[in-house]
């Protein structure tokens, strides 16, 4: 039990069993009430988030047909491209600068993304406090992404690199396409940063 992944795994097993038996997969229960309280009373809980990401990454290996490929995200770029490139070219400083730029840009984008929600929740707080809240929200997502890469590397699961779990099981292809297009755009920018960082150091 990791705190994550088991819900998706259960749904996949549930659908597989009922479809193989020729039965309806689900039935509506209008009178049902779902309660989902805040984790840790709404406070930051990185350990729980990391456990969730670890379990989610297991679904990639358990249900490969329920996954899809995307371009490397920021941490995959740093670990799988920037680090090996800095070792191969013997330019650790270039790798450090490029990696730092990729990380900074990623968290700048995430901070901007969560800023509207932070402004709404922190109406009586100062701008700096609101900025920290938006930045903190982004680091939670980053914590998931780092944990997934750590889990896949630790399991030596090369197949799982740059693969994502399709939580909607093909029922909403637009979400998958949005993730893939977004990853392509960010990867292009990260590759541009990488190229400039290593080429400029060579010219210098």
């Amino acid at each position: 039990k990791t705190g994550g992944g088991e819900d998706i795994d259960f749904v996949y097993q549930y659908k597989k069993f009922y479809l193989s038996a020729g039965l309806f997969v689900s039935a509506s229960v209008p009178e049902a009430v779902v309660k989902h309280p805040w984790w840790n009373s709404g406070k930051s809980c990185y350990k729980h988030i990391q456990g969730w990401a670890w379990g989610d990454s297991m679904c990639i290996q358990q249900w490969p047909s329920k996954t899809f490929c995307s371009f490397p995200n920021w941490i995959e770029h740093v670990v799988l491209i920037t680090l090996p490139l800095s070792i191969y070219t013997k330019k650790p400083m270039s790798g450090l600068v490029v990696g730092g730029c990729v990380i900074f840009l990623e968290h700048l984008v995430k901070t901007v993304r969560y800023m509207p929600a932070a402004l709404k929740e922190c109406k009586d707080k100062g701008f700096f406090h609101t900025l920290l809240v938006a930045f903190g929200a982004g680091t939670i997502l980053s914590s998931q992404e780092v944990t997934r890469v750590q889990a896949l590397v630790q399991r030596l699961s090369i197949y799982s690199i740059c693969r994502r779990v399709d939580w909607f099981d093909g029922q909403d292809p637009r979400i998958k396409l949005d993730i893939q297009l977004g990853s392509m755009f960010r990867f292009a920018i990260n590759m541009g940063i990488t190229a400039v960082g290593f080429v400029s150091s060579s010219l210098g």
Side-chain angles (χ1 to χ4, degrees):
K1 295 181 178 181
T2 61
E6 65 270 15
D7 52 347
I8 302 298
D9 178 65
F10 174 77
V11 170
Y12 289 162
Q13 290 189 54
Y14 183 79
K15 292 180 68 175
K16 182 179 179 180
F17 171 77
Y18 277 85
L19 288 173
S20 65
L23 302 173
F24 288 109
V25 175
S26 60
S28 63
V29 185
E31 65 274 14
V33 177
V34 177
K35 294 184 179 180
H36 195 312
W38 285 99
W39 295 337
N40 195 29
S41 300
K43 301 176 182 178
S44 299
C45 46
Y46 287 93
K47 185 176 181 180
H48 191 117
I49 292 296
Q50 290 165 349
W52 182 92
W54 190 280
D56 180 69
S57 71
M58 295 175 70
C59 290
I60 298 176
Q61 295 174 275
Q62 188 71 24
W63 299 94
S65 63
K66 308 289 187 180
T67 64
F68 62 92
C69 291
S70 72
F71 287 86
N73 60 25
W74 68 278
I75 185 61
E76 290 167 338
H77 187 95
V78 170
V79 173
L80 304 176
I81 297 176
T82 305
L83 180 59
L85 192 57
S86 63
I87 294 173
Y88 177 76
T89 59
K90 298 180 181 179
K91 297 177 180 178
M93 285 306 300
S94 296
L96 188 63
V97 171
V98 167
C101 289
V102 169
I103 293 171
F104 173 79
L105 179 61
E106 175 68 20
H107 289 84
L108 176 63
V109 170
K110 286 176 177 172
T111 300
V112 171
R113 173 185 174 186
Y114 289 111
M115 197 62 180
L119 287 169
K120 184 178 179 180
E121 294 295 326
C122 306
K123 295 179 180 179
D124 301 327
K125 306 293 184 179
F127 176 77
F128 185 69
H129 177 88
T130 305
L131 186 65
L132 285 178
V133 170
F135 173 76
T139 63
I140 291 176
L141 182 57
S142 294
S143 177
Q144 295 178 11
E145 294 164 339
V146 170
T147 302
R148 286 194 191 96
V149 172
Q150 177 190 351
L152 299 178
V153 170
Q154 194 165 323
R155 297 188 198 114
L156 300 177
S157 180
I158 304 301
Y159 167 85
S160 302
I161 300 297
C162 297
R163 298 196 74 87
R164 314 291 180 238
V165 177
D166 184 1
W167 298 331
F168 298 92
D169 197 15
Q171 296 183 34
D172 196 339
R174 294 174 300 176
I175 293 179
K176 182 174 74 172
L177 180 61
D178 181 62
I179 292 174
Q180 291 174 320
L181 291 177
S183 71
M184 180 177 66
F185 179 71
R186 291 193 186 187
F187 178 65
I189 295 176
N190 290 337
M191 283 303 298
I193 293 173
T194 304
V196 170
F198 281 95
V199 171
S200 61
S201 65
S202 299
L203 295 176

